[in-house]
């Protein structure tokens, strides 16, 4: 083989090797996880949610309360209440089917009051509230809650508005059989970030999904801003995933139950009501401006960084390699006369 050809092949190989190494360095392989129940290895931004998501930052749907003389099966089936249990149907102006609240009364510890429970439920946007089934109110000296895969939520004491939003987000996720919090896209979003909202978020991808959901609702109520002490940059992939969920379409999130027909527990059209008597507390100083801009502001915040994502960078490198390969015949033409 002529010395010139050997030199040409060496140049081509060095060129391709350099291009490959540059791409490998610039485009790390995106994180791939396969389990949603494993503890997360991210850094918690804070130990817990030390901010207050005041109820009056969220609009309140008007409601009517009807005590039930006969206990529904869901109330009767509860074995955690060893005292008297009562049942109430609550109907809101944005939905045609009622929510049943079972309340355990007369025990050692008092559950949250019915008025407070109705107020908290009324402030969960209907686009999320529609996935909540029966609510069980129980007492405990240590407030906590859990959600069943059926959408039934058990509240022990008063866990605050952020707790209600957390459990409601679980009902949305559970309705779709964990296909959101267990999806590869969500797991990759977690893996490509460096932090999670708080220590409880690190429990697993399911709890992180619900906690990030709370942060999203906080942002909706505060013009896209997160609480003081929290940053969007280190968890922008998780926030972006939330931004892209149909749940956070502001038209359906703050609309009515019947705007989406997906078989959720509540999807009946609301009955006619007197617009003059509609009770609404603004999200912030100007509810109209907030409802119209909160989602877009949050999306802008989440994509504040102009850095290419690993996938985008990988695609760019792949295109570069393709050009390198196409230029090889040109090298032969240019070097042939030498």
């Amino acid at each position: 083989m002529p010395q010139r050809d050997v030199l040409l092949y060496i140049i081509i190989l060095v060129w391709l090797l350099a291009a490959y190494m540059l791409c490998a360095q610039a485009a790390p392989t995106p994180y791939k996880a396969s389990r949603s129940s494993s503890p997360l290895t991210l850094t918690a931004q804070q130990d817990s949610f030390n901010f207050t998501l005041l109820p009056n930052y969220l609009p309140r749907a008007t409601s009517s309360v009807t005590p039930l003389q006969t206990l529904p099966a869901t109330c009767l089936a509860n074995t955690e209440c060893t005292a008297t249990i009562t049942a109430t149907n609550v109907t809101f102006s944005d939905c045609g089917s009622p929510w049943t609240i079972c309340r355990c009364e007369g025990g050692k510890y008092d559950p949250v009051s019915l008025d407070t429970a109705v107020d908290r439920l009324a402030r969960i946007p209907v686009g999320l509230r529609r996935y909540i089934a029966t609510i069980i109110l129980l007492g405990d000296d240590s407030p906590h809650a859990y959600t069943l895969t059926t959408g039934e939520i058990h509240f022990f004491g008063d866990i605050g508005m952020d707790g209600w939003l957390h459990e409601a987000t679980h009902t949305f996720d559970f309705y779709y059989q964990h296909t959101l919090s267990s999806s590869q896209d969500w797991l990759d979003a977690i893996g490509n970030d460096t932090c999670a909202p708080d220590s409880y978020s690190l429990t697993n991808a399911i709890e992180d999904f619900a906690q990030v959901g709370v942060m999203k609702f906080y942002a909706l109520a505060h013009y896209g801003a997160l609480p003081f002490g929290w940053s969007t940059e280190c968890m922008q992939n998780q926030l972006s995933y939330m931004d892209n969920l149909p749940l956070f379409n502001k038209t359906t999130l703050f609309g009515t139950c019947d705007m989406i027909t997906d078989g959720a527990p509540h999807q009946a059209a609301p009955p006619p009501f007197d617009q003059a008597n509609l009770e609404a507390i603004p999200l912030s100083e100007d509810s109209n401006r907030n409802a119209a801009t909160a989602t877009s502001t949050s999306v802008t915040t989440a994509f504040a960084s102009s850095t290419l994502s690993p996938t985008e960078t990988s695609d760019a490198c792949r295109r570069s390699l393709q050009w390198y390969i196409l230029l090889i015949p040109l090298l032969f033409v240019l070097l042939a006369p030498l």
Side-chain angles (χ1 to χ4, degrees):
M1 179 181 294
Q3 187 176 2
R4 184 199 62 186
D5 291 346
V6 173
L7 179 62
L8 181 59
Y9 283 124
I10 292 175
I11 292 173
I12 292 172
L13 287 173
V14 171
W15 192 357
L16 290 175
L17 180 61
Y20 174 80
M21 291 179 66
L22 284 172
C23 283
Q25 199 173 30
T29 303
Y31 176 91
K32 292 292 182 183
S34 59
R35 295 193 61 183
S36 61
S37 58
S38 302
L40 307 187
T41 57
L42 305 180
T43 300
Q45 290 210 51
Q46 302 288 339
D47 184 56
S48 62
F49 281 178
N50 54 16
F51 59 86
T52 301
L53 182 57
L54 296 175
N56 60 358
Y57 279 115
L58 295 167
R60 184 187 192 280
T62 54
S63 60
S64 61
V65 177
T66 305
L68 300 180
Q69 301 303 316
T70 303
L71 291 178
T74 50
C75 297
L76 290 171
N78 181 264
T79 58
E80 295 163 315
C81 179
T82 57
T84 302
I85 192 164
T86 61
T88 305
N89 270 359
V90 184
T91 304
F92 297 102
S93 56
D94 50 20
C95 196
S97 59
W99 279 258
T100 298
I101 298 179
C102 310
R103 188 170 186 270
C104 184
E105 303 174 352
K108 182 178 180 181
Y109 300 101
D110 291 329
V112 65
S113 70
L114 181 62
D115 288 344
T116 298
V118 171
D119 183 76
R120 297 276 166 78
L121 187 58
R123 295 182 192 279
I124 296 175
V126 66
L128 176 61
R129 189 191 334 126
R130 59 195 298 274
Y131 295 99
I132 299 175
T134 302
I135 292 175
I136 311 290
L137 305 178
L138 302 118
D140 199 288
D141 60 341
S142 178
H144 62 284
Y146 67 85
T147 299
L148 301 178
T149 55
T150 58
E152 182 176 296
I153 306 177
H154 294 217
F155 291 103
F156 297 79
D158 187 1
I159 64 170
M161 193 67 223
D162 60 317
W164 280 71
L165 287 169
H166 173 99
E167 299 303 328
T169 304
H170 275 321
T171 67
F172 168 64
D173 181 32
F174 293 174
Y175 180 73
Y176 290 102
Q177 300 177 342
H178 294 283
T179 55
L180 300 172
S181 64
S182 299
S183 70
Q184 192 62 55
D185 286 344
W186 175 244
L187 297 176
D188 290 347
I190 292 172
N192 288 320
D193 282 338
T194 58
C195 75
D198 67 340
S199 297
Y200 189 64
S201 304
L202 303 181
T203 304
N204 54 46
I206 297 170
E207 297 302 335
D208 183 53
F209 183 87
Q211 288 294 75
V212 175
V214 175
M215 301 298 284
K216 173 65 179 175
F217 281 108
Y218 184 98
L220 283 174
H222 293 82
Y223 308 123
L226 295 183
F228 179 78
W230 271 266
S231 170
T232 61
E233 283 76 10
C234 62
M235 58 179 187
Q236 64 177 346
N237 291 290
Q238 296 164 79
L239 291 171
S240 297
Y241 180 92
M242 287 289 176
D243 286 329
N244 292 322
L245 288 177
L247 172 68
F248 289 105
N249 179 315
K250 63 179 180 293
T251 301
T252 54
L253 184 62
F254 297 103
T256 55
C257 271
D258 59 323
M259 296 184 77
I260 300 176
T261 53
D262 59 356
H266 300 276
Q267 56 179 13
F273 61 91
D274 185 357
Q275 289 278 358
N277 292 326
L278 178 63
E279 178 184 2
I281 297 177
L283 296 175
S284 192
E285 295 179 358
D286 184 343
S287 60
N288 292 328
R289 179 165 71 90
N290 191 29
T293 63
T295 300
S296 60
T297 303
S298 183
V299 172
T300 303
T301 303
F303 286 99
S305 173
S306 61
T307 304
L308 286 175
S309 70
T311 301
E312 292 170 324
T313 310
S314 178
D315 289 341
C317 284
R318 192 178 299 110
R319 288 192 296 272
S320 298
L321 281 172
Q322 290 171 349
W323 277 108
Y324 280 132
I325 293 171
L326 289 174
L327 286 173
I328 289 176
L330 181 61
L331 275 177
F332 276 102
V333 173
L334 293 176
L335 295 176
L338 297 180

